[in-house]
Amino acid sequence: MSAKDHEDTPEVSALEVDEATQHEAEAHAAEVLREHDSSSRFRTNLGLWAWVVGGLSVALTIFHLYTGIFGSRPSLIQGAIHLGGATSIIFLLYPAGKRVERRGGKAGIPWWDALLALIALTVNLYIVFRYSHLTSNIVQILGFDTIDYAVATLGIALTLEATRRCVGLPIVMIALAAIGYSTLIVGQSWDDYAVGTFFTSRAGIFGTPIQVSSTFIFLFLLFAVVLIRTNIGALFNDLAFRLTGRFTGGPAKAAVAASGLQGMISGSSVANTVASGSFTIPLMKKAGFRPHFAGATEATASTGGQIMPPIMGAAAFIMAEYTGIPYNEIIIIAIIPAALYFLGVFVSVHFEAKRMRIAGIPKSELPGWKSILARLDLLLPLVIIVTMMLSGFSPARAALWGVAVAIALSFLRKSTRLSFKGIVLTLEAGARTALPVIAACATAGIVAGTVTGTGLGGRLGNAVIDIAQGNFLLVLLMTMIVCLILGMGLPTTANYVVTATVAAPILINNFEVPVIAAHMFVFFFGILADVTPPVCLAAYAGSGIAGSNPLKTGVTALRLAIAGFLIPFVFVLEPSLLLAGPVSDLIPALVTLILGMVAIAAGLAGYLFGDATTVERAVLILGGVLMVYPSIPISAVGMVLVAAVVVIQLLRRRRDRDDRGTAVATA
């Protein structure tokens, strides 16, 4: 197909709204995002400082492209440039207070933030220019200089403040608690702690999280930005609506499918909820879904996007380092859990739509196959990146090829063709998108360094086991609660780093849970915090778009995501779901799990083959839980319970049909 063919092919979906309504929806979405997402509360009126921010951002992106092509610098230097560039931009972009931009509303940046940006860049570049000194044997013998201690202290303080501004206070509080534990409880001197945290790549700020962020994650986030610039989101929406829109509850099912696809490139529950929800939530409400259900559906599906391979909220790259399992294997392992999660949401939406008698969208109003097929080339970068990683190429190399192919494809259409200015803006957007991840990884490194360096992880593990009295299921439940609590205040990547160093070792070292199962367990529940009341940020964002009660939306999102709360327990008890056990165990576990999920969804919705009574709902939920448990005798009991409800409902439906037939004949 020629470039002209691409330009002449209509890309307008039948579901699109008029331009004025679209602009209004986008403005409202941006407002909701700023309210619920710390990383979106940046200054918008920079004035001439926009050139400085743009220049630093483009330079940071070019540095990562250069090192991705020609090889990374030594880990400490790579991390210092990575973090130094990011923190300097953060101080220019993000105000110190939630509502502060510039006194009097004038364009520009306060002088103190400009000074902090300069100091943040300087203390990190200090590592680059003094690398030989900082890593020399002489320093190990004679100790550091006074200026070294001062720079390390400044570096830690500025990293924490930058994180507070663009990520939020909770992770900073956890890091401060870790610092207090090391210096006040363990008794480590501040000087030793500071240089150990800021001048080493073994742990601390420049430990594994920031190393992975500076080599793999940044390039994948840039790849996501380039994909968005090619308007792949519209393709995902149109494809999802075409495939599912005409069935019962079509708009909600399409929202689930579209959000799962977009989650592959988004990496943020809240951002994905707002971006997709500004389009899907009004359609769900128009179809007849209640506002709180529409908001909850979008939030639940968008949250699941972070467990969708190949990007998985960027945490998968760190998981590869922590577990020693290659990244290309992790994305394969994650396919079954991700598919089960979305199947669970899909089934829950189906039963709700059946109960509410909500039909699908007329076929004539759905996007046409001609328009969709004409844009399938937009999927080529994703195909290339997955194929390369499965073929053994490094994630960095695969991401570079994905970026190159996506940019090349953008020139096939006038609507996505990048000018020189467009390319520069894309490079800038790549850096700005990465800022919260970089800050979160740096601060999470402080926590991880404390947990591993002081033996705190082992002591916490022993305490949990003592409280649970060695009961494995109770330990799993307590671990889940810890992950959910941490996830309520931490972004995905930081939450995984903390839980992987604190919680995962409890399962691995004391109960011989396979490494990948333990790490996927904490990863799942850290993400599910976004739809777990009372702090369910994705659900609150969906509520803001839907105009619904936030808490009611959160509770509904929790119900829709119930499969996500069961799946981690199952793959810990039956590792074959993660391809970590015998294949012969996989099929029975998969079948009973799916049937159990369907039963639970039907019980929670109050509909199976017809409206369910209170007793039937209770039996469906109980039977579904028993079927989910990976034990044949227990699953068999669950099957009997669910089968009883199925028979009762089918008999009732047949009787009702006969009664209606008799009434018609009599009339």
Side-chain angles (χ1 to χ4, degrees):
M1 183 176 287
S2 67
K4 185 178 185 300
D5 292 331
H6 279 285
E7 290 185 12
D8 293 343
T9 302
E11 297 187 15
V12 179
S13 164
L15 297 169
E16 289 186 1
V17 295
D18 62 88
E19 190 173 345
T21 304
Q22 184 176 353
H23 286 319
E24 183 180 346
E26 290 174 354
H28 179 55
E31 184 179 326
V32 171
L33 193 59
R34 287 175 71 86
E35 180 181 352
H36 296 287
D37 184 20
S38 299
S39 63
S40 299
R41 299 178 192 136
F42 48 80
R43 294 183 171 103
T44 55
N45 194 14
L46 296 173
L48 293 176
W49 282 97
W51 291 92
V52 178
V53 171
L56 286 171
S57 300
V58 171
L60 185 61
T61 302
I62 290 175
F63 166 75
H64 287 89
L65 288 172
Y66 176 84
T67 56
I69 296 171
F70 298 104
S72 301
R73 318 315 303 155
S75 56
L76 193 56
I77 293 178
Q78 179 87 10
I81 297 175
H82 180 68
L83 181 60
T87 49
S88 63
I89 299 170
I90 288 170
F91 283 115
L92 297 177
L93 268 181
Y94 291 87
K98 186 176 180 178
R99 298 181 179 274
V100 178
E101 279 206 19
R102 176 71 169 159
R103 188 175 300 173
K106 297 180 181 178
I109 292 172
W111 65 266
W112 54 86
D113 279 348
L115 179 61
L116 288 175
L118 179 61
I119 297 174
L121 184 61
T122 300
V123 295
N124 282 279
L125 290 181
Y126 180 87
I127 295 175
V128 177
F129 293 112
R130 294 271 285 174
Y131 178 74
S132 298
H133 160 73
L134 296 173
T135 57
S136 66
N137 292 328
I138 295 178
V139 166
Q140 306 303 321
I141 298 173
L142 301 180
F144 290 89
D145 299 336
T146 301
I147 190 173
D148 296 335
Y149 295 121
V151 168
T153 300
L154 273 174
I156 294 171
L158 291 173
T159 297
L160 292 174
E161 171 59 12
T163 304
R164 183 193 68 81
R165 292 190 181 200
C166 73
V167 179
L169 187 60
I171 186 175
V172 176
M173 297 298 294
I174 294 174
L176 289 174
I179 292 172
Y181 180 82
S182 294
T183 55
L184 301 178
I185 306 300
V186 177
Q188 188 175 9
S189 71
W190 172 254
D191 286 348
D192 289 343
Y193 179 84
V195 295
T197 299
F198 198 68
F199 289 146
T200 178
S201 59
R202 293 187 300 275
I205 286 176
F206 297 108
T208 297
I210 209 71
Q211 290 177 33
V212 176
S213 173
S214 66
T215 51
F216 301 148
I217 294 177
F218 189 99
L219 292 175
F220 270 82
L221 293 176
L222 175 62
F223 171 65
V225 168
V226 175
L227 283 185
I228 292 171
R229 296 284 172 132
T230 64
N231 209 21
I232 196 172
L235 172 62
F236 284 154
N237 277 340
D238 285 355
L239 182 60
F241 272 90
R242 183 65 196 186
L243 292 174
T244 64
R246 63 190 178 91
F247 299 105
T248 300
K253 291 179 178 176
V256 173
S259 297
L261 291 170
Q262 294 202 40
M264 291 191 297
I265 60 174
S266 169
S268 168
S269 299
V270 176
N272 195 19
T273 299
V274 173
S276 299
S278 59
F279 172 72
T280 60
I281 290 175
L283 286 175
M284 284 188 273
K285 290 170 64 178
K286 183 179 178 182
F289 287 103
R290 290 167 295 182
H292 71 272
F293 188 87
T297 299
E298 181 57 53
T300 307
S302 294
T303 297
Q306 292 190 89
I307 61 175
M308 177 66 75
I311 296 181
M312 297 170 62
F317 302 100
I318 300 176
M319 190 183 297
E321 295 295 319
Y322 279 172
T323 62
I325 299 173
Y327 177 77
N328 57 351
E329 293 184 21
I330 286 178
I331 60 176
I332 294 175
I333 290 169
I335 290 175
I336 292 179
L340 289 171
Y341 177 90
F342 281 99
L343 177 62
V345 180
F346 204 82
V347 170
S348 296
V349 165
H350 173 77
F351 285 127
E352 179 73 14
K354 294 291 286 186
R355 186 176 68 84
M356 297 289 294
R357 277 69 173 175
I358 298 175
I361 301 172
K363 187 176 179 180
S364 60
E365 297 180 15
L366 295 173
W369 277 115
K370 183 179 179 181
S371 172
I372 293 173
L373 293 174
R375 290 175 285 158
L376 282 183
D377 57 281
L378 295 178
L379 298 177
L380 185 60
L382 278 173
V383 173
I384 287 177
I385 205 169
V386 172
T387 302
M388 289 187 67
M389 287 190 294
L390 294 181
S391 300
F393 287 87
S394 70
R397 184 65 58 182
L400 286 170
W401 273 101
V403 169
V405 172
I407 291 176
L409 287 175
S410 73
F411 288 96
L412 295 179
R413 292 178 179 79
K414 186 177 181 180
S415 61
T416 60
R417 191 171 298 151
L418 294 175
S419 61
F420 176 76
K421 180 181 179 181
I423 293 175
V424 172
L425 290 176
T426 300
L427 296 177
E428 179 184 357
R432 290 178 63 155
T433 300
L435 296 179
V437 176
I438 297 171
C441 285
T443 302
I446 295 176
V447 180
T450 298
V451 171
T452 57
T454 63
L456 176 61
R459 283 189 281 275
L460 289 175
N462 292 333
V464 169
I465 294 171
D466 289 342
I467 294 173
Q469 297 183 345
N471 185 291
F472 181 43
L473 287 177
L474 189 54
V475 169
L476 285 178
L477 184 63
M478 294 177 64
T479 304
M480 176 194 77
I481 293 172
V482 169
C483 294
L484 289 173
I485 292 173
L486 288 173
M488 289 177 184
L490 307 185
T492 300
T493 308
N495 176 49
Y496 170 70
V497 171
V498 175
T499 55
T501 52
V502 174
I506 299 174
L507 306 179
I508 297 169
N509 298 331
N510 298 283
F511 298 98
E512 298 183 354
V513 173
V515 171
I516 186 60
H519 281 263
M520 286 291 287
F521 184 89
V522 300
F523 175 62
F524 248 78
F525 283 117
I527 289 173
L528 287 172
D530 285 342
V531 290
T532 304
V535 185
C536 39
L537 294 181
Y540 288 167
S543 170
I545 299 292
S548 60
N549 179 282
L551 185 58
K552 193 173 183 180
T553 305
V555 173
T556 304
L558 179 65
R559 171 167 73 84
L560 293 174
I562 191 65
F565 286 85
L566 298 174
I567 293 167
F569 285 92
V570 178
F571 63 58
V572 166
L573 296 171
E574 183 49 78
S576 62
L577 286 176
L578 296 178
L579 309 180
V583 178
S584 58
D585 294 338
L586 174 61
I587 302 302
L590 203 55
V591 170
T592 55
L593 174 57
I594 292 174
L595 293 176
M597 285 165 42
V598 171
I600 293 170
L604 291 173
Y607 189 100
L608 184 57
F609 296 105
D611 292 332
T613 65
T614 301
V615 173
E616 289 171 351
R617 295 180 67 173
V619 173
L620 283 171
I621 294 171
L622 175 60
V625 171
L626 294 176
M627 290 170 67
V628 163
Y629 192 86
S631 168
I632 293 178
I634 295 176
S635 295
V637 174
M639 285 184 179
V640 171
L641 292 174
V642 173
V645 177
V646 169
V647 171
I648 292 171
Q649 288 231 331
L650 289 176
L651 290 174
R652 183 190 303 143
R653 188 168 73 167
R654 180 178 178 181
R655 185 190 63 210
D656 292 343
R657 186 168 59 245
D658 291 342
D659 290 345
R660 286 195 299 269
T662 302
V664 171
T666 302

